[in-house]
């Protein structure tokens, strides 16, 4: 439903326009002069403005100038008196999309409104398509079973409006999954707004999320819509949600429960028709136990949790990702691709990738710049202080030999300690089945210290 602001000092004109346009399904707001028009523009969001040029207090030209300073895209149609063609031309130069002269036929105005809104829709569609085309280089790449499991959940949850919580280490592709959910949803034609909650200080994050009114704090010279307001009808992606403060957690809970919020310094209750996707690399359940994160907010966010696997658990995707990044950067940098021999590829597939896909992408780009056109061997990998080699080849046979049984027992104990004695997770770390792990625990007399599963 489109919202239109009609600004005209003639009461009968406003009434006639409101009645005629209301019957066509538009929601009409009125302003009796230029000052009121600017106040309403500051406090609400409109799809189109109909603006009379001659109004008391602030004339239409000055109103148009102020609107264009703050919003370059909203379509404005000006109404001029007969014979004021020079004023109409001035308005067009200032950014009005069209003008209409009094007296006018209401059907003519309706056609003008329809054309202006259609042009706006086309601009938004072109912008969306450009963003989509630019985003093609960030497609979700891989054929591993774990990635397919994630994508299957994405396909099921995307058409709904359910809140999604993306969990996983840094660099695992949480932002890509969030965008995929939006693109597959019924909100795909609406806005997609991203917020990195960990990148902004608390006071700035609060004003960015919820917006503020003029005078809400020092430096608030005009009303500013927040990210939730801008995301209306679409999706908001809250990255690093575990970083938000307790005070912002309270406001976030209200949005998720009541679908409403207020701008800083404001009293107007605004509705939030927004789908929320959140992401974190932290353990929110532990944060709840420690009192660092609200339990009720956690359950509101955790409606559909999606755990993204680290790259070390998607080993079969590593060659596919390398080829993808090679294609991407060889085109961008106009460099000849390198080739990777078997020893180097084996090594890359055995590496633990603590930085996940982001680390792999950076490595490929660096290798391309330094070794384009070459054949990459294990010793050619630009690994800085042999960090990767130490990570993979960290077990060194001592001069006096070693007991394999003692080594295996030690590794099993380390895996159990790391996973809090969760046998399923410990088995995965060791590349064993849970049954095999239990057998070897019994073999080496390793006792369970707590319930495993």
């Amino acid at each position: 439903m489109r919202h239109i602001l009609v600004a005209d000092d003639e009461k009968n004109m406003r009434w006639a326009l409101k009645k005629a346009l209301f019957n066509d399904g538009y929601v009409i707001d009125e302003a009796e002069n230029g000052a009121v028009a600017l106040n309403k523009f500051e406090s609400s969001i409109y799809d189109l403005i109909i603006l009379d040029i001659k109004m008391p207090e602030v004339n239409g030209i000055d109103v148009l100038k102020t609107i264009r300073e703050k919003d370059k895209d909203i379509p404005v149609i000006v109404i001029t008196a007969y014979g004021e063609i020079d004023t109409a031309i001035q308005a067009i130069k200032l950014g009005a999309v069209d003008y209409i002269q009094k007296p006018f036929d209401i059907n003519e105005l309706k056609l003008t409104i329809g054309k202006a809104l259609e042009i706006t829709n086309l601009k938004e569609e072109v912008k969306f398509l450009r963003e989509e085309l630019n985003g093609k280089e960030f497609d979700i790449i891989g054929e591993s079973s774990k990635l397919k499991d994630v994508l299957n959940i994405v396909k099921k949850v995307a058409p709904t409006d359910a809140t999604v919580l993306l969990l996983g280490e840094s660099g695992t592709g949480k932002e890509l999954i969030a965008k995929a959910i939006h693109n597959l949803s019924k909100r795909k034609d609406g806005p997609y707004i991203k917020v990195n909650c960990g990148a902004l200080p608390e006071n700035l994050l609060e004003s960015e999320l919820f917006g503020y009114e003029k005078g809400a704090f020092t430096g608030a010279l005009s009303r500013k819509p927040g990210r939730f307001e801008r995301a209306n009808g679409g999706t908001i992606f809250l990255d690093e949600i575990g970083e938000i403060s307790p005070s912002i957690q309270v406001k976030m809970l209200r949005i998720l429960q009541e679908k409403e919020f207020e701008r800083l310094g404001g009293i107007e209750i605004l509705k939030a028709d927004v789908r929320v996707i959140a992401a974190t690399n932290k353990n929110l359940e532990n944060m709840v136990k420690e009192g660092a994160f609200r339990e009720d907010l956690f359950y509101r966010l955790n409606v559909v949790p999606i755990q993204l696997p680290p790259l070390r658990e998607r080993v079969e995707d590593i060659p596919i990702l390398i080829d993808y990044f090679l294609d991407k950067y060889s085109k961008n940098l106009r460099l000849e691709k390198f080739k990777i021999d078997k020893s180097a590829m084996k090594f890359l597939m055995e590496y633990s990738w603590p930085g996940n896909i982001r680390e792999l992408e950076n490595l490929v780009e660096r290798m391309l710049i330094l070794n384009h056109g070459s054949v990459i061997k294990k010793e050619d990998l630009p690994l800085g202080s042999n960090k990767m080699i130490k990570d993979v080849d960290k077990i060194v046979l001592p001069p006096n030999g070693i007991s394999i049984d003692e080594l295996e027992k030690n590794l099993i104990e380390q895996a159990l300690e790391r996973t809090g004695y969760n046998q399923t997770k410990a088995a995965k770390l060791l590349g064993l089945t849970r049954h095999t792990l239990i057998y070897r625990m019994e073999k080496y007399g390793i006792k369970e210290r707590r319930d495993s599963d």
Side-chain angles (χ1 to χ4, degrees):
M1 190 173 289
R2 297 290 192 170
H3 288 66
I4 296 177
L5 173 63
V6 175
D8 196 305
D9 61 324
E10 296 180 24
K11 184 176 181 180
N12 290 339
M13 177 64 74
R14 297 197 308 273
W15 178 85
L17 289 174
K18 184 173 184 177
K19 182 179 179 182
L21 297 176
F22 177 80
N23 290 336
D24 281 7
Y26 297 111
V27 176
I28 308 300
D29 205 355
E30 300 177 56
E32 63 269 24
N33 58 53
V36 173
L38 286 175
N39 285 335
K40 287 183 178 286
F41 167 73
E42 290 282 356
S43 60
S44 302
I45 295 178
Y46 297 102
D47 297 293
L48 182 138
I49 297 174
I50 298 174
L51 185 64
D52 188 20
I53 291 296
K54 286 191 174 181
M55 290 188 294
E57 296 192 32
V58 183
N59 66 47
I61 291 295
D62 289 336
V63 173
L64 178 60
K65 287 179 181 178
T66 301
I67 289 173
R68 279 293 169 258
E69 287 173 0
K70 298 182 177 181
D71 191 328
K72 296 180 180 179
D73 298 320
I74 185 171
V76 179
I77 297 172
V78 297
I79 299 176
T80 66
Y82 180 75
E84 294 182 341
I85 189 67
D86 290 341
T87 306
I89 291 173
Q90 181 187 3
I92 295 296
K93 289 181 178 178
L94 289 171
V97 297
D98 210 336
Y99 71 92
I100 191 165
Q101 289 184 319
K102 296 179 181 178
F104 54 81
D105 181 79
I106 193 64
N107 290 323
E108 180 185 356
L109 177 61
K110 287 181 179 180
L111 287 173
T112 304
I113 291 172
K115 183 172 68 175
L117 291 174
E118 184 178 356
I119 290 171
T120 300
N121 287 340
L122 288 172
K123 286 181 178 179
E124 291 175 353
E125 186 175 344
V126 168
K127 182 180 179 182
F128 177 78
L129 289 173
R130 281 177 177 167
E131 289 176 352
E132 287 298 293
L133 288 172
N134 290 337
K136 289 300 179 185
E137 61 184 1
F138 301 109
D139 281 346
I140 299 168
I141 303 298
E143 298 178 359
S144 63
S145 60
K146 290 203 172 184
L147 181 62
K148 288 179 180 178
D149 289 342
V150 168
L151 296 181
N152 284 335
I153 298 174
V154 167
K155 290 175 184 176
K156 291 177 182 178
V157 73
T160 74
D161 259 350
T163 302
V164 178
L165 180 61
L166 302 176
L167 305 166
E169 299 173 8
S170 296
T172 50
K174 294 188 287 292
E175 186 174 332
L176 295 181
I177 295 296
K179 188 64 184 292
I181 292 171
H182 173 74
N183 288 344
L184 292 170
S185 75
K186 60 187 177 183
R187 295 175 176 267
K188 65 180 184 299
D189 295 327
Y192 174 77
I193 304 296
K194 298 181 290 185
V195 186
N196 187 331
C197 300
L200 298 171
E202 179 183 351
N203 58 340
L204 184 56
L205 176 61
E206 188 174 9
S207 64
E208 280 294 314
L209 288 173
F210 309 111
Y212 54 81
E213 298 288 352
K214 181 179 179 180
F217 51 83
T218 303
L221 303 180
S222 63
R223 179 197 64 84
K224 179 181 177 181
R227 303 288 183 95
F228 274 100
E229 199 168 342
R230 287 168 51 199
N232 194 60
T235 303
I236 189 166
F237 173 50
L238 304 172
D239 198 8
E240 297 189 42
I241 191 70
E243 300 293 338
I244 63 174
S245 67
S247 62
I248 296 180
Q249 288 178 35
V250 173
K251 292 191 173 185
M252 197 74 72
L253 180 63
R254 182 186 177 192
I255 282 186
L256 291 171
Q257 287 186 163
E258 310 296 336
K259 303 294 183 183
E260 63 184 31
F261 65 99
E262 296 166 6
R263 301 188 196 102
L264 294 183
I267 58 174
E268 181 184 3
I269 296 176
L270 303 173
K271 291 295 181 181
D273 177 20
V274 178
R275 192 217 189 125
V276 175
I277 302 175
T280 183
N281 58 10
K282 293 190 172 183
N283 189 322
L284 293 186
E285 290 185 80
N286 285 347
M287 291 180 67
V288 168
K289 293 175 183 176
E290 295 165 0
F293 202 85
R294 291 182 65 101
E295 184 176 22
D296 45 7
L297 177 57
F298 169 68
Y299 287 119
R300 286 287 178 181
L301 291 169
N302 199 44
V303 177
V304 181
I306 301 179
Q307 182 74 47
L308 273 66
L311 187 55
R312 61 183 172 273
E313 294 181 9
R314 317 171 31 189
V315 174
E316 59 268 49
D317 288 337
I318 291 175
I320 300 172
L321 287 163
I322 290 174
D323 285 341
Y324 173 77
F325 292 133
L326 265 178
D327 284 338
K328 172 183 173 180
Y329 287 109
S330 63
K331 290 175 183 176
N332 290 348
L333 300 173
R334 297 182 180 180
L335 295 173
E336 184 183 354
K337 297 182 193 178
F338 57 75
K339 295 181 179 179
I340 302 178
D341 74 3
K342 290 182 179 179
S343 65
M345 183 61 77
K346 179 177 181 294
F347 178 79
L348 292 172
M349 292 178 71
E350 291 175 348
Y351 176 55
S352 65
W353 297 106
N356 291 295
I357 300 170
R358 191 177 296 127
E359 182 182 3
L360 175 61
E361 181 176 5
N362 292 342
L363 180 67
V364 171
E365 183 180 10
R366 185 161 70 250
M367 288 166 58
L368 184 65
I369 293 170
L370 297 175
N371 302 282
H372 56 88
S374 303
V375 175
I376 301 297
K377 300 177 181 179
K378 179 179 175 180
E379 56 267 25
D380 298 323
L381 295 173
L383 306 178
S385 303
N386 290 323
K387 176 182 178 297
M388 291 174 74
I389 291 175
K390 288 180 181 179
D391 187 77
V392 176
D393 298 335
K394 58 187 174 185
I395 298 175
V396 179
L397 184 66
N400 297 327
I402 193 171
S403 166
I404 294 296
D405 285 348
E406 284 298 321
L407 176 61
E408 186 175 45
K409 179 182 178 182
N410 182 266
L411 291 173
I412 290 172
E413 288 174 336
Q414 287 186 50
L416 289 167
E417 288 286 347
R418 185 178 298 181
T419 60
Y421 277 73
N422 183 305
Q423 294 171 353
T424 302
K425 292 180 180 179
K428 286 182 179 179
L429 282 180
L430 297 166
L432 304 173
T433 66
R434 185 170 180 271
H435 177 77
T436 301
L437 174 64
I438 293 172
Y439 166 77
R440 294 186 181 180
M441 287 174 64
E442 293 174 352
K443 173 183 176 182
Y444 297 122
I446 301 173
K447 296 180 180 179
E448 296 184 44
R449 297 186 186 178
R450 66 192 76 179
D451 293 335
S452 302
D453 299 296

